[in-house]
C-alpha cells in the first residue's frame, strides 16, 4: 500500500546560529516551530494533537548547542544534547545523577538517540523536569538580543504565558552544590574541566540523599503516571539539609513540594517519626492532574509512597554504613 | 534575515545519505519519514511498518551506528549520515550472516518474524557497544522492541548466543 502524504509537507530550515533561528521564528510566527529531535512533535502530529506547521526550524545544525561540559561551579548541558548523550555521560553521572537516572527511564534507547533534553524541557511535562528542579537547574534562553538565565522553577511557573514565543533554549546550567574542586585555584573562570568521555577526578561530594523515581503503565513507552525527585545533603550528624522535593508526571506540571521539604529540613534521617510526617506532607501538598486511567488520588498516593520509600532507603543505607564502620 | 548568511532551505529537495554503504540522493520532502523513504523510494522493505509512533521497534535501523526508529526519524535528519538497515547487517563480501542473525536462527529467536529485523538491529547495536551485556543491559536495550509471539525467552537466549559467537569470531580473527 502506498503511503499518502500531505501535499503541503513542512519546509525545513537550517539556521547557522541562534540569532538566525530566532529571526526565522519571529518571521514565520505561528506557521513555524522549532524542531530538535522531533520525537514529541511527531507524536503530536500522529495523534492529531497538533498539525505539522508550514515551516520547521531545525536546531540540530546550530553549533555549540550540543554536549555536556563541566565548569568550576556548574555543569552545562546544551539543549541539543540527546537524552542518550546525557545517559552515558560520565560528568553528568557524577555531578547530576538524578538527571542521568531520568534519562535512563525516558522512552527507549532508540527514541533517546533522537530526543533532546531541550525538547523534553520545552514540552513542560517532560520526565526530566522533576530531576532538574531538584538539581536547582537554570535555563538559558536566547530572546533575540541576549541570553538570559531563568531558574527552571520560575520558568515553569510562567511557561503558559510564554506559549508561541520565539525564545530558544540554548543550555541548561546545573550548579555543583556541595562539590568542592580540589584544583579550584588552578581553574580559571569558565574554564572547561570536562569535555568528551573522560572525567577528571577533581572533587569530592558531601553525603547526599538523592533519588529519582518514575511510575508508568509501561516502564519505557508511556508518559509517566508520577515522577518524583528528591535531593538533599546529609550532615555529619545525620541531619538533612538543603532538601529539595519535586514531583510531576503525565499532564501534571512538575513543581517543587514545599511542605515535604520543610518536614525534612534539619531532621535526623534516623528519626522514626520522619517517614510518616513525610508521607502525609506529600499526600497533602501534591496536586496532580488525573485522567481516566490513573486518577488524582492514585497519583497522590503513589507520589507519597515513592518519596517516603526514597528517604527510607537512604536512612537504611546510612544505618548499614554506620554498622560496617563501627566493626 | 542576515542576507550574507541566510538560513539554508534547499530549493530542490535532495538529501544525500549513505544506506548500507551506498551513497544515495533522495529527492523528496525533507520531513518525510525515513521508514517511508526506505520502503517506498528505495524499495528496502526489511524495516517493518507497524505502530509508526516509535513504540514497537519494528522499523529499527542504525543511524551512524546507533539504533533509531525509522518511523520517527525524518529524511533531513539523515543528511550526510550513515543508515544501516537489516539488509546491510550481514557481511557483504562473504555472503554469510552476522553473528546476531546466526544466533536468532540457532536459538529460535523468532516465530512470525515481524519483530525480528528490528530486534536484530537493536541487539547488534547493543553488542557493538557492550559485547558482554548483563541481564539489565539487555532489558534496557530491548525495551523499545515489542514481540507479540515469543515471550522473549528465545530472544534473550539469542542475545547471549550472539555475544558468544561474536567473541569466537573476534578471537579467530
Ligand atoms: C515512544 C515514545 C516514548 C516517549 N516516552 C517519554 C517518556 O517516557 N517521558 C518523556 O518525558 N517523554 C517521552 N516521550 C516524548 C519525547 O520523546 C521527549 O519529551 C523528548 O525529550 C522530546 O525531545 P525532542 O528533541 O524530540 O523534541 P521535539 O519533538 O523536537 O520538540 C518538542 C517541543 O519542544 C520545542 N523545542 C525543542 N527544542 C527547543 C529549544 N531548544 N528551544 C525552544 N523550544 C524547543 C519544539 O518546538 C516542540 O514544541 C516519548 C516519545 C515517544 C515517541
Ligand atoms: S513502526 Fe516504528 S516503532 Fe513501531
Ligand atoms: S516473532 Fe512475531 S512479533 Fe516477534
Amino acid at each position: 500500500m502506498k503511503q499518502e502524504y500531505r501535499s503541503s509537507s513542512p519546509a525545513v530550515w537550517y539556521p547557522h546560529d541562534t540569532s538566525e533561528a530566532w529571526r526565522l521564528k519571529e518571521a514565520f510566527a505561528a506557521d513555524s516551530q522549532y524542531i530538535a529531535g522531533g520525537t514529541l512533535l511527531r507524536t503530536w502530529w500522529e495523534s492529531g494533537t497538533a498539525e505539522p506547521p508550514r515551516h520547521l526550524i531545525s536546531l540540530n545544525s546550530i553549533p555549540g548547542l550540543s554536549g555536556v561540559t563541566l565548569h568550576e561551579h556548574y555543569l552545562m548541558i546544551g539543549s541539543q544534547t540527546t537524552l542518550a548523550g546525557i545517559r552515558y555521560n560520565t560528568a553528568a553521572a557524577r555531578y547530576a545523577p538524578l538527571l542521568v537516572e531520568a534519562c535512563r527511564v525516558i522512552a527507549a534507547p532508540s527514541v533517546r538517540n533522537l530526543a533532546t533534553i531541550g525538547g523534553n524541557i520545552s514540552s513542560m511535562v517532560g520526565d526530566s523536569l522533576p530531576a532538574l528542579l531538584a538539581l536547582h537547574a537554570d535555563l538559558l534562553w536566547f530572546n533575540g538580543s541576549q541570553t538570559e538565565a531563568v531558574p527552571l522553577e520560575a520558568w515553569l511557573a510562567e511557561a503558559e504565558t510564554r506559549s508561541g514565543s520565539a525564545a530558544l533554549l540554548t543550555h541548561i546550567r546545573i550548579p555543583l552544590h556541595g562539590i568542592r574542586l580540589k584544583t579550584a585555584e588552578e581553574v580559571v573562570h569558565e574554564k572547561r574541566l570536562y569535555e568528551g568521555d573522560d572525567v577528571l577526578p577533581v572533587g569530592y561530594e558531601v553525603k547526599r540523599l538523592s533519588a529519582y523515581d518514575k511510575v508508568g503503565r509501561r516502564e519505557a513507552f508511556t508518559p509517566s503516571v508520577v515522577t518524583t525527585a528528591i535531593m538533599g545533603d546529609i550532615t555529619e550528624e545525620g541531619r538533612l539539609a538543603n532538601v529539595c522535593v519535586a514531583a510531576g508526571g503525565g499532564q501534571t506540571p512538575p513543581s517543587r513540594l514545599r511542605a515535604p521539604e520543610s518536614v525534612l529540613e534539619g531532621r535526623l534521617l534516623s528519626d522514626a517519626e520522619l517517614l510518616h510526617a513525610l508521607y502525609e506532607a506529600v499526600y497533602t501538598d501534591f496536586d496532580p492532574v488525573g485522567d481516566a486511567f490513573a486518577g488524582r488520588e492514585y497519583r497522590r498516593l503513589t507520589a507519597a509512597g515513592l518519596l517516603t520509600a526514597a528517604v527510607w532507603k537512604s536512612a537504611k543505607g546510612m544505618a548499614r554504613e554506620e554498622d560496617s564502620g563501627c566493626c | 534575515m542576515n542576507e550574507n548568511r541566510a538560513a539554508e532551505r534547499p530549493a530542490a529537495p535532495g538529501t544525500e545519505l549513505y544506506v548500507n554503504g551506498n551513497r544515495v540522493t533522495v529527492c523528496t520532502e525533507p520531513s518525510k519519514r525515513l521508514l517511508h523513504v526506505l520502503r517506498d523510494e528505495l524499495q528496502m522493505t526489511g524495516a517493518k511498518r507497524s505502530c509508526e509512533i516509535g513504540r514497537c521497534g519494528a522499523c529499527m535501523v542504525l543511524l551512524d551506528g546507533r539504533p533509531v526508529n525509522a518511523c520517527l526519524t525524518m529524511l533531513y535528519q539523515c543528511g550526510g549520515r550513515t543508515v544501516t538497515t537489516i539488509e546491510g547487517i550481514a557481511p557483504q563480501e562473504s555472503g554469510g550472516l552476522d553473528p546476531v542473525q546466526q544466533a536468532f536462527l540457532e536459538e529460535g529467536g523468532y516465530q512470525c518474524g515481524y519483530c525480528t529485523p528490528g530486534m536484530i538491529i537493536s541487539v547488534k547495536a547493543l553488542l557493538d557497544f557492550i559485547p558482554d551485556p548483563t541481564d539489565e543491559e539487555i532489558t534496557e536495550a530491548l525495551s523499545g522492541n515489542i514481540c507479540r509471539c515469543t515471550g522473549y525467552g528465545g530472544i534473550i537466549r539469542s542475545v547471549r548466543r550472539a555475544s558468544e559467537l561474536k567473541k569466537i569470531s573476534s578471537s579467530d580473527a
Side-chain angles (χ1 to χ4, degrees), chain A residues 1-3 5-6 9-17 20 23-24 35-39 42-43 45-46 56 58 60 87-88 104 107-114 218 220-222, chain B residues 1-2 5-10 29-33 36-37 40 49 52-56 60 63 66-69 71-74 76-77 129-130 136 140-146:
Chain A
M1 193 177 74
K2 199 99 174 100
Q3 179 80 10
Y5 296 99
R6 290 177 188 86
S9 101
V12 184
W13 296 81
Y14 311 98
H16 296 99
D17 53 37
E20 206 168 28
R23 286 196 296 271
L24 282 165
I35 183 163
T39 59
R42 175 59 66 187
T43 309
W45 300 338
E46 296 307 316
L56 288 172
S58 169
N60 294 149
R87 193 240 178 282
Y88 291 110
R104 191 182 70 82
S110 52
V111 179
R112 298 198 288 266
N113 281 330
L114 296 168
R218 270 194 67 151
F221 291 121
T222 50
Chain B
M1 198 87 15
N2 178 336
R5 287 180 72 226
E8 285 161 35
R9 176 200 170 184
E29 306 92 344
S31 63
K32 192 166 178 172
R33 303 172 198 218
H36 300 304
V37 170
D40 302 342
R49 177 182 165 190
E52 295 200 82
I53 50 168
R55 288 178 193 274
C56 73
M60 203 70 77
L63 184 61
R66 290 172 194 275
V68 295
N69 308 77
C71 68
L72 293 177
T73 311
M74 287 176 255
Y76 82 87
Q77 292 174 305
F129 192 48
I130 309 172
E136 214 177 27
E140 183 180 345
L142 295 185
S143 61
N145 293 78
I146 292 176

Side-chain angles (χ1 to χ4, degrees), chain B residues 109-116 119 146-150 155:
Chain B
Y110 59 92
Q111 285 179 23
C112 80
Y114 201 79
C115 70
T116 313
M119 283 288 177
I146 292 176
C147 175
R148 291 295 182 218
C149 305
T150 62
I155 293 171

Side-chain angles (χ1 to χ4, degrees), chain B residues 62-90:
Chain B
L62 299 177
L63 184 61
D64 290 341
R66 290 172 194 275
V68 295
N69 308 77
C71 68
L72 293 177
T73 311
M74 287 176 255
L75 175 61
Y76 82 87
Q77 292 174 305
C78 306
R81 301 175 74 180
T82 302
V83 173
T84 310
T85 69
I86 188 70
E87 290 92 339
I89 289 286

